[in-house]
């Protein structure tokens, strides 16, 4: 089955020798080129259509916008149902009752994304480019934040959970080692699975030459005064201030490569 969610083209290092479809230049194996998915051909970087677009504005998105919209939609829907069912007492019922947890969770998530988004926006520069609330094509899922830095692309999932995040390791000698992410008393291991999936989506866009890092950032968790951050299955688990420090890490990407990756991601993963 054809994967319609894959990007139309991708810059990559060739596994086999090829020929530029535009100028017929020979492209040896391991040379960088642009693969065009629809025609199944390659072109050399001299004809990379990304270059003329560098002076165009990129929509970086608004942090938490899709979660905020979903909260407002659910809240308005509940209010309408109650007022329709109880025309005379609807206002009183709404005043004396709270929204269900399934609704308030969206507000909680939106606040966490908005707060972290503000911190990330303050870091923006030629060597730290940010995107917020990016829609993954082919479904309803989204990526909270992306940061492109000299160290690569950071895929950031913001969570506003209470409790202390910790890594619990089970098994080892006589049975398989299993790593579990625990926040307070909640088993949140599925959050790691979600970030790993997002990392693969981003890697499909930027290719194998740019490192992609997964991050779970707990905004209001009970972090200890010393230490606390950890890594599980290559996903970093940390808090906003520690994330800011991590984004300043050195790497091989220069400002031009960072801008290119930023634009590729903005185009392939539109604002949610």
């Amino acid at each position: 089955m054809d994967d319609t969610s894959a990007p139309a083209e991708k810059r990559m290092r060739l596994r086999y020798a090829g020929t530029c479809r535009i100028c017929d230049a020979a492209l040896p194996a391991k040379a960088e080129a642009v693969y065009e998915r629809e025609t199944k051909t390659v072109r050399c970087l001299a004809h990379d259509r990304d270059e003329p677009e560098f002076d165009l504005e990129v929509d970086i998105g608004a942090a938490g916008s899709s979660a905020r919209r979903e909260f407002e939609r659910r809240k308005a829907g509940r209010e309408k149902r109650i007022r329709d069912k109880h025309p005379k007492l609807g206002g009183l019922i709404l005043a004396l009752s709270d929204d269900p947890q399934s609704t308030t969770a969206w507000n909680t998530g939106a606040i966490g994304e908005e707060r972290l988004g503000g911190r990330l926006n303050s870091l923006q520069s030629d060597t730290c480019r940010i995107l917020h609330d990016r829609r993954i094509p082919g479904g309803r899922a989204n990526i909270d934040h992306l940061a492109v830095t000299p160290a690569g692309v950071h895929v950031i999932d913001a969570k506003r959970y209470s409790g202390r995040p910790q890594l619990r390791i089970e098994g080892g000698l006589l049975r398989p080692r299993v790593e579990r992410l625990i926040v307070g008393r909640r088993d949140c291991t599925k959050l790691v699975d979600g970030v790993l999936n997002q990392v693969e989506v981003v890697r499909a866009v930027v290719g194998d030459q740019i490192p992609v890092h997964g991050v779970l950032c707990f905004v209001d968790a009970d972090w200890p005064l010393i230490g606390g951050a950890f890594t599980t299955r290559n996903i970093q688990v940390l808090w906003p201030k520690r994330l800011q420090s991590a984004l300043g890490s050195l790497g091989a990407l220069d400002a031009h490569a960072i801008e290119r990756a930023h634009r590729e991601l903005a185009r392939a993963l539109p604002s949610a």
Side-chain angles (χ1 to χ4, degrees):
M1 180 181 297
D2 189 41
D3 182 5
T4 58
S5 66
E9 58 184 46
K10 181 174 72 172
R11 181 169 173 168
M12 61 184 292
R13 193 173 296 275
L14 299 179
R15 297 178 62 185
Y16 307 102
T19 302
C20 175
R21 72 166 180 82
I22 297 177
C23 64
D24 292 326
L27 299 172
K30 298 186 178 181
E32 286 198 357
V34 179
Y35 174 71
E36 299 179 1
R37 181 170 175 269
E38 183 176 357
T39 60
K40 293 183 173 60
T41 58
V42 295
R43 65 176 189 272
C44 61
L45 297 185
H47 305 291
D48 192 340
R49 288 195 293 265
D50 289 343
E51 296 290 348
E53 297 176 3
F54 269 31
D55 58 347
L56 300 179
E57 199 68 29
V58 170
D59 175 17
I60 70 169
S65 58
S66 60
R68 177 67 57 198
R69 288 195 305 270
E70 182 63 18
F71 168 68
E72 297 294 346
R73 184 188 70 81
R74 290 175 177 240
K75 184 179 181 66
R78 174 177 178 265
E79 180 175 344
K80 183 178 185 305
R81 288 192 301 271
I82 290 176
R83 290 188 182 278
D84 287 348
K85 188 175 181 179
H86 307 282
K88 295 182 179 181
L89 298 177
L92 179 61
I93 294 173
L94 289 168
L96 297 177
S97 63
D98 296 325
D99 289 318
Q101 193 276 336
S102 58
T103 295
T104 58
W106 288 96
N107 184 49
T108 299
I111 292 172
E113 291 180 42
E114 290 161 355
R115 287 170 53 184
L116 182 57
R119 282 179 173 267
L120 294 174
N121 286 341
S122 70
L123 302 177
Q124 290 204 95
S125 67
D126 288 344
T127 54
C128 183
R129 295 183 178 270
I130 306 298
L131 294 170
H132 303 293
D133 209 2
R134 314 314 290 190
R135 178 168 51 84
I136 298 175
R140 299 182 62 184
N142 73 304
I143 297 174
D144 292 345
H145 313 279
L146 292 169
V148 190
T149 73
V153 182
H154 305 261
V155 182
I156 305 164
D157 195 2
K159 296 300 178 187
R160 191 170 175 234
Y161 288 10
S162 59
R164 175 162 296 182
Q166 55 184 306
L167 177 63
R168 181 176 299 170
I169 300 175
E170 301 173 354
L173 293 176
L174 301 178
R175 54 195 178 98
R177 173 189 170 103
V178 176
E179 296 186 358
R180 298 192 183 279
L181 170 61
I182 307 298
V183 183
R185 297 182 178 181
R186 302 167 63 181
D187 187 337
C188 297
T189 307
K190 287 186 177 180
L191 298 180
V192 180
D193 298 329
V195 178
L196 287 170
N197 290 336
Q198 294 175 16
V199 165
E200 291 307 311
V201 169
V202 170
R203 188 171 284 128
V205 175
V206 300
D208 297 331
Q209 302 306 308
I210 296 180
V212 182
H213 313 281
V215 179
L216 265 170
C217 186
F218 288 94
V219 176
D220 280 337
D222 176 26
W223 291 100
L225 294 177
I226 300 176
F230 56 88
T231 299
T232 174
R233 293 157 61 197
N234 293 323
I235 302 300
Q236 300 175 73
V237 182
L238 37 65
W239 57 93
K241 191 172 182 179
R242 183 67 175 264
L243 173 61
Q244 288 180 267
S245 299
L247 295 181
S249 300
L250 300 177
L253 300 185
D254 59 17
H256 183 80
I258 290 170
E259 185 174 10
R260 179 187 298 278
H262 185 248
R263 290 188 176 278
E264 288 177 348
L265 290 164
R267 181 171 57 246
L269 306 172
S271 295

